[in-house]
Amino acid sequence: MRQQIVAGNWKMNGTIPETENLIKQLLAGDSKNERATVLVCPPFISLQAAAKALEGSHIKLGGQDMSEHEKGAYTGEISASMLLTVGASHVILGHSERRQYHAESDDLVNRKAKAALAAGLTPIICVGESLEQREAGQTEDVVGRQMRGCLNGLGPDDLKKIVVAYEPVWAIGTGKTATPEQAQEVHAFIRDLVKDIDTSAGEDLPILYGGSVKPNNAKELMAQPDIDGSLVGGASLKADDFIAIINAC
Ligand code: PGA
């Protein structure tokens, strides 16, 4: 059985005390699911406090981005080893907001993924089409190009250590979710693409769905054969909603 993951992307939300409080609520609630890995990705500034609050718990910690470089004169950047030493196991890469507001390309995401893997972090590589692209019938072209660009040069061993998140841009933070069928179609496409590179890496690849996942649609989405969990934005900021989504997996 493939690994199932429910990850909270807290984006630029929450001060350190608010982050600590949200973690406290998650740990006090029913946030454990034997079938799924639970992960939270707070802002960089809160990672250390989050790691402390999560110590000894079942919830893992991730970064929302990282630099492609190991260290040096890169003002404002955070390296893979910094994430690792603070206790992170995962890092979100190529989120559509990074692509949109920071002009991140597939090439850059590819270099970041290689740096994450070299350091021992699990990259969660995000791909997804815009509304215009979907309406123009270009979903598979766009997602295929993003996938091939982001995975360029990764061998079977590397491909067994990554996670992919399919996040249609038109569904992020908009309240519009892809239907389970729409999501499943793209997830199957992504899996086939990776299987073409390495069959077993493709079979085992956890592919998360992201984009307005809520307690009322999580179950149906995650019941699809190629959907292995979710990357949750807005709803992961409310402990009750996030717990409901964890339990829907
Ligand atoms: P959303 O965000 O759940 O608020 O749509 C998902 C994401 O951007 O990862």
Side-chain angles (χ1 to χ4, degrees):
M1 173 142 154
R2 281 194 296 270
Q3 192 195 4
Q4 309 282 304
I5 302 169
V6 180
N9 175 8
W10 290 351
K11 307 192 180 185
M12 197 176 74
N13 292 294
T15 58
I16 292 174
E18 284 164 351
T19 298
E20 288 170 330
N21 191 37
L22 181 51
I23 289 174
K24 211 181 275 172
Q25 290 176 43
L26 290 176
L27 294 178
D30 181 21
S31 60
K32 205 168 190 168
N33 178 340
E34 298 301 341
R35 292 180 303 277
T37 299
V38 179
L39 173 76
V40 294
C41 304
F44 290 138
I45 193 93
S46 299
L47 280 171
Q48 192 163 15
K52 195 153 181 272
L54 290 170
E55 221 167 58
S57 82
H58 59 284
I59 301 182
K60 290 182 183 269
L61 191 63
Q64 297 177 10
D65 180 39
M66 56 166 252
S67 169
E68 65 181 297
H69 302 290
E70 263 179 54
K71 63 175 174 177
Y74 301 104
T75 302
E77 297 275 20
I78 299 279
S79 73
S81 67
M82 291 171 189
L83 287 176
L84 270 179
T85 50
V86 83
S89 52
H90 292 68
V91 60
I92 299 170
L93 295 179
H95 189 281
S96 67
E97 287 148 20
R98 301 290 316 172
R99 292 174 185 265
Q100 185 180 350
Y101 305 126
H102 300 271
E104 292 204 2
S105 63
D106 296 323
D107 248 15
L108 177 62
V109 177
N110 178 244
R111 293 196 297 275
K112 289 184 177 192
K114 287 175 176 160
L117 287 164
L121 277 174
T122 301
I124 301 176
I125 298 171
C126 301
V127 295
E129 81 289 0
S130 67
L131 187 58
E132 301 75 66
Q133 291 165 334
R134 173 161 283 265
E135 285 174 346
Q138 297 166 347
T139 299
E140 292 194 356
D141 283 353
V142 171
V143 172
R145 193 173 56 237
Q146 290 173 333
M147 285 293 297
R148 280 186 288 273
C150 293
L151 303 188
N152 185 27
L154 299 189
D157 285 350
D158 291 328
L159 294 174
K160 287 181 181 143
K161 294 183 193 142
I162 66 166
V163 174
V164 169
Y166 168 57
E167 299 206 305
V169 178
W170 49 272
I172 296 177
T174 57
K176 282 189 206 139
T177 326
T179 64
E181 295 71 28
Q182 282 174 324
Q184 165 57 27
E185 205 174 274
V186 183
H187 280 234
F189 169 76
I190 291 172
R191 188 173 313 288
D192 284 345
L193 186 148
V194 177
K195 273 189 187 167
D196 279 347
I197 310 173
D198 184 83
T199 313
S200 83
E203 301 269 7
D204 294 345
L205 177 70
I207 309 175
L208 317 184
Y209 170 79
S212 297
V213 176
K214 307 282 177 218
N216 64 4
N217 59 26
K219 201 165 191 159
E220 242 192 321
L221 283 161
M222 289 192 276
Q224 298 299 312
D226 289 295
I227 301 185
D228 309 308
S230 54
L231 180 54
V232 190
S236 69
L237 293 167
K238 292 183 210 121
D240 287 349
D241 285 359
F242 192 41
I243 287 172
I245 295 168
I246 292 166
N247 287 307
C249 185

